[in-house]
Amino acid sequence: MITFQVNGISHSVDLEADTPLLWVLRDHLKLTGTKFGCGEGLCGACTVLIDGQPQRSCQTSLAEMQDKKVTTIEGVPVSHPLKKAWLTEEVSQCGYCQPGQIMNAAGLMTSKPHPTDADIDNAMSGNLCRCGTYGRIRKAIHVASQQEGEKS
Amino acid sequence: MSEIIKLSRRELIKAGILVGGGLVLACHIPGGLRQALAAGTTPFAPNAFLRIGSDGTITVIVNKSEMGQGVYTSLPMLIAEELECDWQQVRVQPSPVAPEYDHVTFGNIMATGGSTSVRTEWERLSKAGAAAREMLIEAAAKDWKVKPSACQAKNSVVHGPGGKHLNYGELAEQAALLPVPKEPKLKKSKKHTLLGKPIKRLDSPAKINGTAIFGIDVDAPGMLTAVIARPPVFGGTVKSFDAKKALAVAGVREVVAVDAGVAVVADGFWPAQKGRGLLEIVWDEGQWASINTPAMREEYAKLAATPGAKAYSSGDAAAELDKADRKFTAEYEVPYLAHAPMEPLNCFVDLKPDSGLVRTGSQFQTVDRAAAAGVAGLQPEQVTFETTFLGGGFGRRACPASDFIIEAAQVAKAVKKPVKVIRTREDDMRAGFYRPMWYDRINACLDKQGRPLAWQHTIVGQSIAAGTSFENAMVKDGIDSTSVEGAADLPYAIPNVLVDLHTTKNGVPVLWWRSVGHSHTAFVVESFLDELAHATGQDPYKYRRSLLAKHPRHLQVLETVAQKAGWGKPLPAGVGRGIAVHESFGSFVAQVAEVSMTDKDQVQVKRVVCAIDCGKIVNPDTITAQMEGAIIFGLSAALYGAITLKNGQVEQGNFDGYPLVQMDDAPKIEVHIVKSNEPPGGVGEPGVPPLAPAMANALFAVSGARVRSLPITPDQVRAAMGKA
Ligand code: FES
Ligand code: FES
């Protein structure tokens, strides 16, 4: 039995220890906002925050999760600057990659509240978008970081 | 920042509540869908596409699949414009499969493809909205005992003489009793308030909240999840298998053989996947186990040097070429490509003795429903087909073979429980359906001014439609129109043209891939034209212009893109510009690419300027987004994309072997929409074709390397430059 928090709620999960967090979230906790894209750490669609750090949930096994705190896309408030910027910049096309993009961007902004283009390249390359929304993702991150600046 | 990420209890509850209501979310609740569509539950249902509730809610029923291209917004905009309704009240419901939702021009099927959604639905949906508006006005006029002409509709309210007004909700019941006007009057375009405006997408909130339901997210009580072990080569079959070890995995319920291979059915994806790894299977590899890409290339190249079936001819190209002193010949090739949508294929099926339910993303619902019914031994009408969001389509979910539907139906039939089959990325990439590999050879000769006098283009590759239910409609006299589109209809003023085709056959399953035949013909035609311009010392932009005098729409996008890109202006050292223009799916697109090279001979595209004329427009921001996306899609193919076969096996399996453009190699993109009153054209696909030739032409401009084979890898560049 592994106990950890997801979006502020504690869960005790009794599954094979090698089950990737991705499938614990999707199949057992029914949090399907976190997506499966490659299963090999190559696409970023499954990105969540674990103790505040962006991690690929397809590469994280349940065994590593004891006492950890996970945030998924469902746990990011709609008032979050990134979510707001994603709407004003009209980033989403098919939308499948976007939860992973937003979670990874959230991790970036925690470490760099005002990322440069190079910071964004560095952090966000590896989160694939087959619909090609990269330009708008970049813009939305900049917009969100300005909102953050105004607030503080 | 971190405190924002932390979830408050209130937010959680809010998210939970949001699932049940709100503007956009209505589109993913199948229960809600059934309700809204059932006759009698909404007072006013003037046609198949519109429901108005007594609370004023406007429900637009959309018969096209939302795969990123924005149809859940653009199609409601067409109705709302004529309806004169409050846009905030508009909700979307995906349509069921029924004849009234069939494609306007594809025959008796519900389908999303060919960049046709706005083009083919414009009139039908505009009229649907206008008819409802007239009925609502008529209902109000009756109530007030005035002439309808004395009333006006605006923002979901009908206004009458003396400040009288009634809103649509109040009028819905009375309007429903009136006859539906056959020829409602459409608004003049200068009166449009929605069309032509960058309206926000209705599906965006659900897509950033994790509440949008894609096929892979479908769940149902008692549902099991399956993954299928598939033959290593196309056409392979199971000889025998031992499931003992797989069945020992905790969570694995059953192992069953289906046509696609051996399915491991489990409580969730992970045990199914683990179980699959432990299967012991003996395969019969069948007749295609010896396919190798290099040998196939050689065969194609040989064919390309011989005349094929005539696809188009004007003048006498052969005679002119015979006479010519100087001939220009070039051979081009492009590989098989996978669609690789970010959402790997999947399908949910639940079969009962006299009914069935399929829930997944599809571009061919009628075909897919019939396929599932066929497996189940049911009539198509007994099967309910619910369309989810598609995590990308690009043609892959418009599969005449319904491969991903049939395999799920077979598993569901075998286990007699609701089942969702999920393909892993490797399954998705290796189990087939690719853009065909093509080989092209062009011969040309020039007149005294250096203009093409004769142009002979031989194309070699598989037919997509052959052997499918689309063959009759798409293959004429042995020519699959999609094999030669963009080559057999050249806009350039060339007096003698011959285009011929060799249709090859092999076991590699092929399918339409975003822009279909244009994805290779634009590369060939626009690259070769560039070669001719350079060979005669002419500017490639001016050369094209001189040959397009009779094609004003080509000319306009070409001139626009040249001007916006600063064609002819000096560039920094090490940067080159290339240009291309191409018509497809009723739209005209020109692009200028700016390219440099790393010291490792890797091409880098820094900037792409794009101009499109797609006729009358609905949502300009969607058009811009589709151009941006198409350029990245085209760039992934031009830089990296190749599916290759070794001993019948696909060599790529995941994004390491089949890379996509990422944030750090995405160019700056500028899109310019040319004003046009022409009939609407497509926007999903036309942005793809010009990218590869614009990039290849820019590479030539900066380096002198003419690469005629995609993808343009450092090896290709070195070979073209004569470097070892
Ligand atoms: S699914 Fe985890 S990185 Fe792709
Ligand atoms: S929006 Fe479709 S994959 Fe990114």
Side-chain angles (χ1 to χ4, degrees):
Chain A
M1 186 81 78
I2 307 272
T3 301
F4 62 106
Q5 276 188 23
V6 182
N7 301 332
I9 295 175
S10 178
H11 294 274
S12 293
V13 176
D14 188 12
L15 285 168
E16 294 291 301
D18 64 351
T19 309
L21 174 62
L22 171 64
W23 298 104
V24 177
L25 293 170
R26 290 184 53 82
D27 283 349
H28 298 276
L29 304 180
K30 308 292 180 192
L31 290 168
T32 53
T34 305
K35 299 303 188 206
F36 168 60
C38 69
E40 296 286 344
L42 298 167
C43 78
C46 65
T47 305
V48 298
L49 299 184
I50 301 178
D51 291 344
Q53 293 301 311
Q55 304 281 352
R56 309 255 156 127
S57 63
C58 73
Q59 299 299 297
T60 310
S61 68
L62 180 60
E64 304 163 62
M65 292 309 296
Q66 183 63 42
D67 298 331
K68 295 272 177 18
K69 291 193 170 78
V70 179
T71 307
T72 69
I73 190 71
E74 291 92 344
V76 180
V78 286
S79 58
H80 191 289
L82 281 169
K83 281 196 171 174
K84 290 206 306 214
W86 243 249
L87 292 181
T88 56
E89 297 314 312
E90 199 70 304
V91 175
S92 300
Q93 290 191 25
C94 84
Y96 193 80
C97 73
Q98 300 300 344
Q101 306 277 6
I102 292 172
M103 297 318 293
N104 202 38
L108 165 65
M109 287 181 64
T110 307
S111 57
K112 296 217 159 96
H114 299 284
T116 62
D117 276 340
D119 294 334
I120 293 174
D121 277 350
N122 218 354
M124 299 300 293
S125 296
N127 274 73
L128 303 179
C129 175
R130 186 57 159 152
C131 300
T133 63
Y134 299 118
R136 291 179 187 232
I137 291 172
R138 182 190 302 284
K139 181 97 185 293
I141 293 174
H142 284 312
V143 167
S145 80
Q146 277 157 21
Q147 288 176 4
E148 277 293 283
E150 280 157 25
K151 257 185 11 193
S152 56
Chain B
M1 193 75 196
S2 57
E3 117 260 282
I4 299 169
I5 296 289
K6 239 189 270 150
L7 184 85
S8 78
R9 183 86 198 148
R10 233 183 73 230
E11 283 291 343
L12 239 198
I13 292 165
K14 208 160 142 200
I17 288 168
L18 271 174
V19 176
L23 182 64
V24 180
L25 297 163
C27 44
H28 340 291
I29 302 154
L33 163 70
R34 277 192 294 272
Q35 246 170 39
L37 297 177
T41 55
T42 46
F44 187 31
N47 52 61
F49 298 96
L50 182 57
R51 303 285 179 268
I52 301 179
S54 13
D55 61 351
T57 308
I58 314 283
T59 304
V60 175
I61 296 144
V62 176
N63 65 339
K64 300 295 170 190
S65 307
E66 179 56 73
M67 45 195 183
Q69 85 285 39
V71 282
Y72 278 13
T73 309
S74 55
L75 298 186
M77 282 172 74
L78 286 167
I79 287 199
E81 179 66 64
E82 292 293 339
L83 182 58
E84 297 287 5
C85 66
D86 175 4
W87 178 250
Q88 301 308 320
Q89 303 264 41
V90 175
R91 286 134 173 79
V92 175
Q93 295 279 11
S95 82
V97 184
E100 54 269 41
Y101 300 112
D102 282 351
H103 196 285
V104 175
T105 58
F106 284 5
N108 302 326
I109 58 166
M110 185 171 150
T112 309
S115 299
T116 58
S117 296
V118 161
R119 289 193 279 165
T120 56
E121 294 297 340
W122 189 298
E123 194 185 331
R124 173 154 77 171
L125 295 182
S126 297
K127 283 187 175 167
R133 180 195 68 222
E134 290 186 1
M135 292 163 81
L136 289 156
I137 290 178
E138 170 103 32
K142 267 195 159 164
D143 192 67
W144 298 326
K145 303 199 171 44
V146 301
K147 284 202 177 115
S149 59
C151 306
Q152 269 188 337
K154 210 178 162 198
N155 214 26
S156 282
V157 179
V158 179
H159 298 270
K164 287 192 181 54
H165 58 89
L166 284 166
N167 67 41
Y168 283 7
E170 294 166 322
L171 289 166
E173 246 171 76
Q174 287 308 309
L177 303 173
L178 300 170
V180 182
K182 289 242 152 46
E183 285 304 323
K185 236 176 123 205
L186 300 185
K187 288 164 74 175
K188 293 239 156 47
S189 55
K190 41 176 202 293
K191 293 256 163 92
H192 286 165
T193 54
L194 282 173
L195 301 191
K197 306 254 155 35
I199 301 294
K200 290 277 181 245
R201 295 176 64 123
L202 293 175
D203 56 351
S204 289
K207 286 179 173 176
I208 59 157
N209 287 334
T211 48
I213 299 296
F214 296 85
I216 202 167
D217 303 326
V218 168
D219 195 12
M223 182 189 82
L224 299 175
T225 302
V227 296
I228 298 175
R230 297 159 196 278
V233 300
F234 300 114
T237 50
V238 180
K239 240 191 215 159
S240 64
F241 68 95
D242 182 345
K244 238 181 268 119
K245 288 183 198 147
L247 284 164
V249 173
V252 170
R253 299 288 193 91
E254 278 187 68
V255 175
V256 295
V258 292
D259 291 347
V262 181
V264 180
V265 189
D267 292 338
F269 173 87
W270 186 248
Q273 163 80 339
K274 254 171 92 177
R276 177 172 78 167
L278 296 171
L279 286 173
E280 284 162 22
I281 306 175
V282 182
W283 299 102
D284 180 344
E285 296 206 330
Q287 61 173 318
W288 303 113
S290 56
I291 308 185
N292 286 295
T293 302
M296 205 185 277
R297 266 191 65 198
E298 261 174 53
E299 176 208 328
Y300 278 29
K302 270 191 209 134
L303 278 171
T306 67
K310 196 198 291 173
Y312 174 82
S313 121
S314 67
D316 192 341
E320 289 299 338
L321 283 163
D322 265 352
K323 282 189 281 181
D325 300 333
R326 189 172 172 205
K327 268 195 278 187
F328 298 84
T329 301
E331 294 179 16
Y332 294 85
E333 56 185 308
V334 299
Y336 290 110
L337 291 173
H339 301 74
M342 281 313 294
E343 178 194 12
L345 288 173
N346 52 69
C347 180
F348 169 90
V349 179
D350 187 10
L351 299 176
K352 300 266 154 47
D354 52 5
S355 69
L357 173 64
V358 180
R359 296 175 71 193
T360 190
S362 169
Q363 299 177 244
F364 268 180
Q365 288 90 337
T366 313
V367 175
D368 288 342
R369 183 180 70 156
V375 171
L378 296 167
Q379 293 303 309
E381 295 72 27
Q382 293 175 287
V383 176
T384 303
F385 197 105
E386 293 181 355
T387 307
T388 62
F389 280 117
L390 281 66
F394 316 119
R396 181 60 185 89
R397 285 179 185 263
C399 186
S402 297
D403 60 329
F404 62 103
I405 308 286
I406 287 176
E407 65 189 30
Q410 289 184 344
V411 178
K413 188 180 178 183
V415 302
K416 300 191 174 62
K417 288 196 184 71
V419 167
K420 176 169 67 182
V421 171
I422 296 178
R423 293 195 184 186
T424 61
R425 176 57 57 194
E426 288 79 4
D427 295 341
D428 189 276
M429 202 167 281
R430 291 191 172 134
F433 291 100
Y434 308 105
R435 194 281 303 273
M437 166 178 157
W438 295 103
Y439 199 99
D440 297 66
R441 182 185 163 97
I442 304 197
N443 290 303
C445 60
L446 308 176
D447 67 13
K448 294 211 170 56
Q449 284 75 41
R451 294 175 303 216
L453 177 63
W455 173 288
Q456 188 260 317
H457 182 176
T458 303
I459 298 173
V460 184
Q462 286 163 264
S463 160
I464 294 167
T468 75
S469 52
F470 291 79
E471 180 162 353
N472 281 345
M474 299 179 72
V475 183
K476 296 253 146 53
D477 302 323
I479 307 289
D480 180 336
S481 55
T482 68
S483 298
V484 297
E485 59 187 4
D489 46 1
L490 294 179
Y492 297 110
I494 305 174
N496 305 283
V497 176
L498 174 64
V499 178
D500 55 358
L501 172 71
H502 293 279
T503 299
T504 55
K505 279 199 177 131
N506 62 53
V508 184
V510 290
L511 190 58
W512 14 79
W513 177 99
R514 196 176 189 177
S515 78
V516 198
H518 298 283
S519 71
H520 97 277
T521 55
F523 171 61
V524 174
V525 169
E526 287 298 296
S527 293
F528 191 62
L529 209 76
D530 215 73
E531 294 199 44
L532 297 180
H534 286 290
T536 55
Q538 303 189 59
D539 176 88
Y541 161 58
K542 291 185 187 143
Y543 190 68
R544 283 176 173 79
R545 273 188 62 192
S546 72
L547 297 171
L548 287 170
K550 292 216 174 86
H551 292 266
R553 297 182 77 186
H554 284 84
L555 264 184
Q556 201 188 356
V557 290
L558 193 68
E559 286 170 359
T560 303
V561 84
Q563 191 231 330
K564 301 286 184 189
W567 186 267
K569 297 214 175 100
L571 282 165
V575 181
R577 252 189 219 114
I579 194 165
V581 60
H582 194 77
E583 174 191 358
S584 61
F585 309 95
S587 292
F588 301 77
V589 180
Q591 290 170 4
V592 168
E594 289 178 14
V595 160
S596 65
M597 277 196 310
T598 67
D599 51 9
K600 299 203 167 65
D601 300 309
Q602 172 66 50
V603 174
Q604 285 187 314
V605 180
K606 302 283 195 191
R607 177 183 181 221
V608 178
V609 183
C610 172
I612 175 169
D613 170 1
C614 57
K616 289 195 288 182
I617 68 172
V618 175
N619 192 333
D621 192 53
T622 305
I623 297 167
T624 303
Q626 284 303 298
M627 291 305 108
E628 292 164 355
I631 286 164
I632 299 291
F633 196 89
L635 186 57
S636 287
L639 286 177
Y640 309 122
I643 292 290
T644 54
L645 293 132
K646 193 171 180 186
N647 300 325
Q649 304 196 16
V650 172
E651 294 183 278
Q652 297 71 27
N654 212 315
F655 294 119
D656 45 357
Y658 192 79
L660 305 179
V661 166
Q662 308 192 25
M663 178 68 86
D664 61 356
D665 53 3
K668 202 165 156 277
I669 298 172
E670 298 156 42
V671 178
H672 302 276
I673 303 169
V674 165
K675 271 218 169 61
S676 170
N677 273 322
E678 299 286 337
V683 298
E685 296 168 275
V688 175
L691 190 276
M695 174 181 126
N697 295 341
L699 172 64
F700 178 80
V702 70
S703 68
R706 176 59 67 182
V707 180
R708 302 188 181 92
S709 168
L710 297 181
I712 300 186
T713 59
D715 281 346
Q716 299 274 16
V717 173
R718 280 191 284 270
M721 292 175 80
K723 289 196 218 167

